[in-house]
Each structure stands twice: as C-alpha cells, then as structure tokens.
Amino acid sequence: MPDDAAAARAAAEEESAFSHSPVDPDVTAAYGDHPDQVIDFYAPRTGPDSTAPGALAPLVVVLHGGAWRACYDRRHITPFAHYLARRGFAVANVEYRRGGEGSAGAPEDGTSPAGRWPDTFDDVAAALDALPALVREALPQADPRRTVLTGHSAGGHLALWAAARHVLPPDAPWRTDGPADLRGVVALAPIADFEVAEKLEVCAHASLQLLGGPDAFADRRPYADPVLLLPTGIATTLVQGRADLVVPEPVAESYADAAAKAGEMVGLTLLRDVGHFPLIDPATDACAVVAEEIAQLAW
C-alpha cells in the first residue's frame, strides 16, 4: 500500500476510535491523593461472554495509552471499557500520572513530554496493589480471582510491566515477592521493547522520555522495559495490527521472540489490514477479536 494511502487509512482509524462519546463509569474510587490516582469501575452488563445471571464476572483491568503523555487521559478509552462491560466483564479503568510540564527528559521542541519517572510506575504499582480492596467495595459483581490485565500502546507496556513486578531487579521499589494473581495479560500494540521502539522512533521517542532522557535511559531500562523482564510465568497474549504505523509490528515481534528465547510462549495475534486504533474501537471487528482474547483467559 502506498505511504499516502496507509497514512490516510491510519488517520481514518484514529478518527473513528475517537469519535465515540466518553462513557461515564458506575463508580470512581481513589487509590491515592493525587487527582490522577483514580480508578473508574464499570459493572458487567449481560453479554455473549456472560455466565449465569447473578454469577460473579471476571475483572478486566484497563490501562490506557497515549504515549504516557498528559494530553491523553483515561476518557478516550472509556468506550472500550464500556464495550467490555457490555460483553459481561467487570472493568476497572486505571488513571495514572503522565508526562507534564517539567518532566525529566522533556523534548526541546515543546511537545508534551512522555511519562513521569518514577511517578507513572509508582501509580500503576499502587493502583494494582489497592485494586482488590477497591473492587470489593466498589464492584462486588467482580471476581478478582479471574483478573485479566489489558492495555493499549503505552498502556500495553504498563500492563506487561505490572505483570512482571516479581522479576524486577531486587532493589526496585515496585518489586513484589511473587507473581500477581492474574489469569493473564492481553497487551494491545504494546510498546514492549524500548530498544526497538527507539530505533523506530515510536511516538517521537516516548520511551526515551519516559525514562528521563538519554542520560538515564540505559540505567533505568532494567526497571521498566518489559523485554528485559522475562520470563514472567504469566499467560500473555499480544494483539497487533500489521498495518500499525504508530507502534509497528516489529516491536511486538521482538518481545515475543525474547520470550521464546527465555523459555516462555507468548501468544502473538497479528491482524491483517489493521492499524493502531481499531484494537480499542468498539465499532471494529478488531475490537471483537480483543474481547475474545480476553475471554479465553478470563472465563
């Protein structure tokens, strides 16, 4: 496909994904004092993946993307969260601190910086740690024993990272004593290998900015880059559009290859003629594929 046609299709996909009105949650709960330290909860509706009426529903934890930049918050992924709820899942949509004014490693051209070190990681760890208690209070319809972690793009990175906290370096403040109690991870077009992402200039070098810039990148990668945190022992599937111009296919393939070399089988579902945003667009067949991948782990 010519470059101009590919770009036009990618633009149309992004427009479609962002055309849906945000969906307000049933409940919002805080896991910290900062305004961004909140989780939106969506109660399960009756759907094709539902079990018997009255039964507890699997919990899907959603981490949104947006290159870890403050201009993208959880609101853009609420139609996807609501879509999962309509399919019978209980859903927790996590907000976290992202890059803003004064963030280390901010680009000199004035564009919004990506991520906050260590705040972004502090928040995701704190949210996951607080989630079981918050779910019991805010979403009693959920079964935390059947939790699937998912995330899109930068959120896909955070999902993979959160599932790997037990294999972080021993001095990492976010390290846990054992693996998270998860049925699995479904990472959607994740920024899963920072080295490959930087070579491809993914999201204008967002992973470099996330870690604080060139001077900190190498030292912080072992604490943040999912491809260096393998094997995890947790069932993991990557869903990737083959026509993705934002986070290209080689990033996901590199993670899957590294997992295999580490003795772990990671699923890689490649979708032909699909770009970056259809994975979270309820109007697309690709979003239905994502829901099916989550269901295979959760039910």
Side-chain angles (χ1 to χ4, degrees):
M1 175 179 289
D3 289 344
D4 56 348
R9 182 172 67 180
E13 290 176 339
E14 182 175 1
E15 182 180 3
S16 176
F18 283 84
S19 68
H20 306 285
S21 298
V23 182
D24 290 333
D26 296 300
V27 181
T28 298
Y31 63 87
D33 296 330
H34 192 277
D36 286 334
Q37 294 173 328
V38 294
I39 303 174
D40 289 340
F41 292 99
Y42 295 80
R45 279 66 171 172
T46 301
D49 296 320
S50 300
T51 54
L56 294 179
L59 176 65
V60 181
V61 182
V62 176
L63 291 159
H64 72 82
W68 309 285
R69 292 188 168 110
C71 53
Y72 299 99
D73 64 15
R74 70 191 185 283
R75 294 290 285 171
H76 80 269
I77 209 168
T78 60
F80 173 72
H82 184 245
Y83 172 82
L84 294 176
R86 287 188 285 113
R87 293 188 68 98
F89 297 105
V91 182
N93 185 20
V94 178
E95 189 59 279
Y96 51 90
R97 283 174 286 179
R98 301 159 323 279
E101 185 177 354
S103 297
E108 295 180 358
D109 61 6
T111 58
S112 176
R116 302 178 70 92
W117 180 277
D119 304 15
T120 299
F121 297 92
D122 287 345
D123 286 1
V124 172
L128 271 293
D129 290 345
L131 193 61
L134 293 178
V135 167
R136 285 194 296 270
E137 182 70 24
L139 203 60
Q141 306 96 321
D143 183 358
R145 298 169 301 177
R146 291 185 292 159
T147 297
V148 175
L149 195 54
T150 191
H152 177 240
S153 194
H157 156 265
L158 293 172
L160 294 171
W161 177 84
R165 289 170 60 198
H166 60 294
V167 295
L168 284 169
D171 62 337
W174 314 290
R175 183 181 169 99
T176 56
D177 293 335
D181 188 12
L182 297 171
R183 284 290 181 90
V185 178
V186 179
L188 315 177
I191 304 178
D193 183 328
F194 285 179
E195 184 176 32
V196 174
E198 281 306 299
K199 288 178 180 178
L200 296 175
E201 301 182 3
V202 167
C203 298
H205 296 288
S207 55
L208 182 70
Q209 296 165 34
L210 173 69
L211 299 193
D215 293 342
F217 185 74
D219 289 340
R220 290 175 175 172
R221 267 192 75 203
Y223 298 87
D225 193 344
V227 78
L228 302 181
L229 301 173
L230 289 164
T232 67
I234 293 175
T236 300
T237 296
L238 312 185
V239 183
Q240 175 73 42
R242 304 202 76 161
D244 193 331
L245 302 181
V246 179
V247 184
E249 182 181 336
V251 181
E253 289 181 334
S254 178
Y255 180 87
D257 290 345
K261 291 176 182 177
E264 188 161 80
M265 183 63 66
V266 166
L268 178 57
T269 299
L270 298 174
L271 303 181
R272 184 179 179 183
D273 297 329
V274 170
H276 192 64
F277 290 99
L279 302 180
I280 59 166
D281 183 351
T284 68
D285 292 339
C287 194
V289 171
V290 169
E292 290 168 5
E293 294 284 0
I294 292 171
Q296 288 182 22
L297 292 174
W299 292 96

